[in-house]
Amino acid sequence: MTSTETAGQQPGNSSSSPFRHEATDRDAAPQFVLPLVARIERAEPPSRTDALETAARAVLVLLADERSAGDGEWAEAVRDWQDARIRKVVRRARGAEWRRAEALPGITVGGRDAEVRVFPPVPLDGWPKELARLQVSGTELDDPLPPEAPADGLPVLWLNPELEMSAGKEMAQVGHGAQLAWWELSEEERAAWRGTGFALAVRSAEPSEWAALTRSGLPVVRDAGFTEIAPGSCTVVADHPALRKALPYEEPQGS
C-alpha cells in the first residue's frame, strides 16, 4: 500500500524536530518512495502484528545502515527521499517473486515468522521492474491470538483504534512512525536502540487513550490520504521512552 507522512520537515532532532513545524515546500521537491516487500507465502502467511513490527524495524535498519549516510552508495537517494515526503509503498511477494526481489540491493529483516525486504528509495516513476510488477493488494493478515501487552520500557508504535486499514497500509504507517522517532532521537539514543536490534512493539491504542496520545507531544503520523483513509488522519503515535522523558513535565492535578 502507498502511504505518505505529512507532518514532518527536514530530519533532525531537538529544535529541528520534523513533527513540530509547519509544512514547507516538500511537495515541490522530486518525489521518491521507499519500497518495502513483505514475503507472504500462500500456505504460511505471517501474523499481522509480526509483519507490522518487522516492517517498522526494516525502515530503521535502512536508516541506520552505513550505506544510507555520508558518502554511502544509498545516501543520495535517502537524502532526496527525506527532502520530500517520506512515501513508502508495501508490496507482497512469494516464491520466485520473492527470490527475484532478494536479488536486488536491499536488506531483509526477519521477525518471528515475517520477512520484509527494504530497498533504497527510488523515484516515483523509476521502480525496478522486478518490484514494479509485484502486487500491492493481498496483504490481508490476521493474528491467531491477540498480542500481549508490550513490555515495560519497550518503544511502542500506537495505531489509531478508530481507523480500519489494510495490513499493507498499516505496515507503511508504522514505518513512518518509526522514522519520525528516529529523527527525533540523539545519536546516543539511536545507538542504544540499534543495540537492541530496534526492539519495538506495534499495538492498537485503547480508544479512551488515543486522543491523549495525539496531544502528548510524541511524534504523530498524519497521512496524506492517497489511499484508504481521509487526508490528515492521525494514524500512528511513536512512543519511545527517550522521547517521553523529553516531554515537558506536567504537575499532577489534585482531586
Side-chain angles (χ1 to χ4, degrees):
M1 284 295 170
T2 304
S3 189
T4 304
E5 176 275 326
T6 65
Q9 276 190 319
Q10 297 287 344
N13 50 49
S14 63
S15 62
S16 60
S17 166
F19 59 88
R20 291 179 184 161
H21 299 293
E22 295 179 358
T24 60
D25 59 349
R26 292 189 303 155
D27 286 324
Q31 297 295 305
F32 285 72
V33 63
L34 186 78
L36 293 147
V37 175
R39 183 178 186 179
I40 302 179
E41 299 290 347
R42 187 174 286 107
E44 295 183 76
S47 61
R48 187 184 186 100
T49 296
D50 191 37
L52 298 181
E53 293 173 348
T54 304
R57 289 193 297 109
V59 172
L60 293 166
V61 167
L62 180 127
L63 291 172
D65 194 280
E66 62 183 9
R67 290 168 288 184
S68 298
D71 295 325
E73 61 186 283
W74 299 342
E76 183 176 0
V78 171
R79 284 193 296 268
D80 288 343
W81 169 58
Q82 293 187 131
D83 282 346
R85 294 188 179 274
I86 55 170
R87 295 174 182 256
K88 298 177 181 69
V89 172
V90 177
R91 297 177 183 263
R92 64 172 172 84
R94 61 172 62 100
E97 296 173 332
W98 175 256
R99 291 190 291 273
R100 286 192 291 267
E102 278 201 306
L104 298 176
I107 306 169
T108 297
V109 176
R112 290 183 299 275
D113 52 24
E115 286 184 89
V116 175
R117 188 164 179 82
V118 60
F119 303 85
V122 298
L124 277 178
D125 57 355
W127 282 70
K129 64 180 185 300
E130 294 88 349
L131 302 183
R133 61 166 62 112
L134 297 177
Q135 294 294 312
V136 174
S137 61
T139 54
E140 290 312 308
L141 302 171
D142 296 307
D143 283 316
L145 297 171
E148 297 178 354
D152 290 343
L154 190 67
V156 182
L157 301 171
W158 295 108
L159 287 162
N160 186 338
E162 300 172 355
L163 294 177
E164 290 190 10
M165 295 180 280
S166 67
K169 180 74 171 180
E170 288 187 340
M171 289 168 74
Q173 295 297 308
V174 297
H176 294 336
Q179 185 168 359
L180 292 185
W182 174 259
W183 281 350
E184 190 65 7
L185 295 172
S186 68
E187 290 300 326
E188 293 77 13
E189 291 161 346
R190 291 176 178 181
W193 200 8
R194 184 178 185 176
T196 69
F198 294 116
L200 56 83
V202 174
R203 298 291 187 272
S204 182
E206 291 294 330
S208 60
E209 298 175 358
W210 177 249
L213 280 168
T214 62
R215 296 192 301 263
S216 65
L218 294 167
V220 179
V221 178
R222 293 177 174 85
D223 191 62
F226 293 136
T227 60
E228 297 194 26
I229 57 178
S233 297
C234 296
T235 58
V236 174
V237 173
D239 190 356
H240 191 290
L243 301 184
R244 196 170 273 280
K245 289 178 183 177
L247 297 177
Y249 173 76
E250 293 185 4
E251 187 71 27
Q253 299 296 312
S255 57

